[in-house]
């Protein structure tokens, strides 16, 4: 079985990004810029934001963290987003979710300009994605496509099953696989007899968010399994939605957890930021 190594693919992406940020700097006299908005005191969010900041530094993206208090009001929040939309020196914006209860997180998806949407999750970005004209793509599913491409796993004409229909993983994953000419089925918590779908699939992307729910008996021999699930971040051992160890000698290829899809998510955020900055060079 081929181990689809997301760490390795992310590293090779970062090498390319370093060159692109250098080239951008030489033309624009400044680095591509990502602004991360962090509202409140959520400990996990603080760690995620710090990791994103460090990842930016490694490839030469300048990153700014705007921290706002837990008590931030809707009006101030929206003003901040509109200010960032207008700020020419900001190439990408990311609002770390969740935001405190009194704020409407939906407004982020409505207000943030798709030209600054480093996460690719605004409603405008989603519409562009499903119209076949994506500006930037949501980071986790586009990371999955990058891994499959890196390992030259053919997608065109293949039966692909996506398990999960969330806005950040399942739905955009289905759109991106369609764009690769796969025949896509989306399974979810309301699907009856999921195995009848997964056992026919050439490629299965599992994003159900249920620890170790799927194993060898769910998949067709020689299929390709991508596990997006991530569980046990609280100091315990990380695991995914799939019992990876059962796939040896059965699957053609699979992503491990950790070391599979996870490292790709931040790499794609960097890719999106550099891409949005480069669009300015082309006058878009
Ligand atoms: P979510 O909870 O928003 O969505 C889960 C989806 O799975 C839902 O659409 C639901 O219908 C479906 N589902 C739930 N139980 C199911 C079952 N038993 N059978 C079939 N479908 C089922 O979760 P999400 O945000 O899409 O994330 C999914 C998983 O991916 C989580 O474990 C999350 O931690 C992980 N994740 C990882 C990364 C990464 O960078 N590796 C990024 C985002 C999410």
């Amino acid at each position: 079985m081929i181990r689809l190594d997301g760490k390795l693919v992310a590293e090779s992406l970062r090498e390319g990004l370093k060159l692109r940020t250098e080239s951008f700097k030489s033309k624009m006299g400044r680095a591509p810029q990502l602004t991360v908005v962090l509202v409140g005191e959520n400990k996990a969010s603080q760690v995620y934001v710090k990791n994103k900041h460090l990842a930016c530094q490694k490839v030469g993206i300048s990153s700014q963290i705007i921290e706002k208090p837990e008590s931030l009001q809707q009006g101030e929040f929206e003003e901040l987003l509109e200010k960032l939309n207008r700020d020419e020196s900001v190439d990408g914006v990311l609002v770390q979710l969740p935001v405190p209860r009194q704020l409407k997180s939906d407004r982020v998806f409505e207000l943030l300009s798709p030209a600054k949407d480093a996460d690719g999750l605004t409603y405008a970005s989603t519409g562009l994605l499903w119209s076949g004209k994506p500006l930037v793509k949501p980071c986790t599913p586009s990371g999955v496509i990058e891994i499959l491409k890196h390992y030259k796993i053919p997608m065109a004409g293949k039966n692909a099953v996506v398990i999960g229909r969330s806005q950040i993983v399942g739905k955009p994953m289905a759109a991106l696989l369609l764009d690769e000419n796969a025949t896509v089925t989306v399974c979810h918590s309301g699907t009856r007899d999921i195995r009848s779908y997964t056992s026919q699939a050439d490629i299965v992307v599992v994003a159900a968010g249920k620890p170790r729910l799927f194993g060898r008996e769910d998949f067709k021999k020689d299929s390709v399994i991508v596990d997006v699930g991530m569980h046990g971040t609280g100091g315990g051992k990380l695991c995914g939605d799939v019992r990876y160890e059962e796939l040896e000698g059965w699957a053609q290829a699979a992503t491990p957890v950790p070391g599979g899809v996870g490292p790709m998510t931040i790499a794609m955020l960097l890719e999106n930021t550099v891409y949005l900055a480069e669009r300015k060079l082309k006058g878009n």
Side-chain angles (χ1 to χ4, degrees):
M1 179 176 81
I2 302 166
R3 183 174 185 272
L4 302 174
D5 186 338
K7 249 178 148 172
L8 188 137
V9 182
E11 183 52 43
S12 86
L13 268 173
R14 280 196 294 270
E15 287 308 312
L17 286 170
K18 275 185 208 162
L19 299 176
R20 284 164 62 191
T21 56
E22 278 307 317
S23 155
F24 180 87
K25 252 189 223 168
S26 68
K27 290 173 190 144
M28 293 290 272
R30 67 166 180 88
Q33 209 273 7
L34 176 70
T35 294
V36 179
V37 178
L38 174 63
V39 188
E41 304 289 327
N42 184 311
K43 290 276 175 281
S45 292
Q46 287 168 342
V47 173
Y48 294 143
V49 166
K50 190 173 157 218
N51 288 343
K52 286 167 188 172
H53 179 69
L54 293 174
C56 282
Q57 284 182 334
K58 278 189 194 160
V59 299
I61 293 174
S62 135
S63 112
Q64 163 187 223
I65 304 172
I66 298 183
E67 291 188 62
K68 291 288 175 187
E70 190 83 32
S71 59
L72 185 75
Q73 291 306 301
Q74 187 68 29
E76 299 167 285
F77 185 43
E78 294 191 7
E79 263 170 40
L80 172 63
L81 291 177
E82 274 161 0
K83 189 171 142 234
L84 292 172
N85 275 343
R86 289 191 303 268
D87 188 337
E88 276 297 313
S89 67
V90 172
D91 298 309
V93 177
L94 180 158
V95 178
Q96 186 65 44
L97 298 174
V99 288
R101 268 193 195 170
Q102 76 277 12
L103 300 177
K104 296 186 189 88
S105 58
D106 274 10
R107 290 293 283 157
V108 177
F109 303 131
E110 283 169 7
L111 280 179
L112 188 62
S113 161
K116 300 265 170 112
D117 180 14
D119 253 346
L121 293 173
T122 62
Y123 298 142
S125 297
T126 303
L128 289 167
L129 176 68
W130 281 97
S131 308
K133 297 187 183 339
L135 199 55
V136 291
K137 301 167 189 170
C139 302
T140 302
S142 63
V144 170
I145 298 287
E146 286 301 318
I147 295 180
L148 295 176
K149 283 188 174 166
H150 181 94
Y151 284 93
K152 300 195 167 36
I153 306 279
M155 290 174 265
K158 299 296 177 185
N159 273 341
V161 166
V162 177
I163 305 180
R165 56 177 160 181
S166 72
Q167 211 60 35
I168 64 165
V169 188
K171 281 183 190 163
M173 188 73 250
L176 292 177
L177 285 164
L178 278 175
D179 286 350
E180 297 298 330
N181 282 322
T183 301
V184 183
T185 304
V186 181
C187 296
H188 47 81
S189 49
T191 305
R192 290 187 195 142
D193 191 8
I194 287 195
R195 192 178 291 170
S196 68
Y197 298 94
T198 54
S199 62
Q200 300 295 315
D202 305 305
I203 299 170
V204 185
V205 180
V206 189
K210 296 281 180 297
R212 294 174 58 79
L213 184 63
F214 297 91
R216 173 190 281 234
E217 71 279 10
D218 294 301
F219 306 116
K220 185 170 88 167
K221 176 121 179 67
D222 295 327
S223 56
V224 174
I225 316 300
V226 177
D227 186 358
V228 180
M230 206 159 58
H231 310 279
T233 42
K237 201 168 175 257
L238 272 186
C239 75
D241 288 359
V242 176
R243 301 186 295 277
Y244 179 80
E245 71 283 0
E246 291 182 10
L247 303 179
E248 195 56 62
W250 186 256
Q252 181 202 137
T255 58
V257 178
V261 177
M264 292 301 292
T265 299
I266 291 190
M268 298 315 291
L269 170 71
L270 306 178
E271 161 71 36
N272 284 351
T273 303
V274 173
Y275 174 74
L276 289 173
E278 287 171 341
R279 286 182 76 235
K280 291 184 176 161
L281 286 175
K282 295 177 195 135
N284 286 316

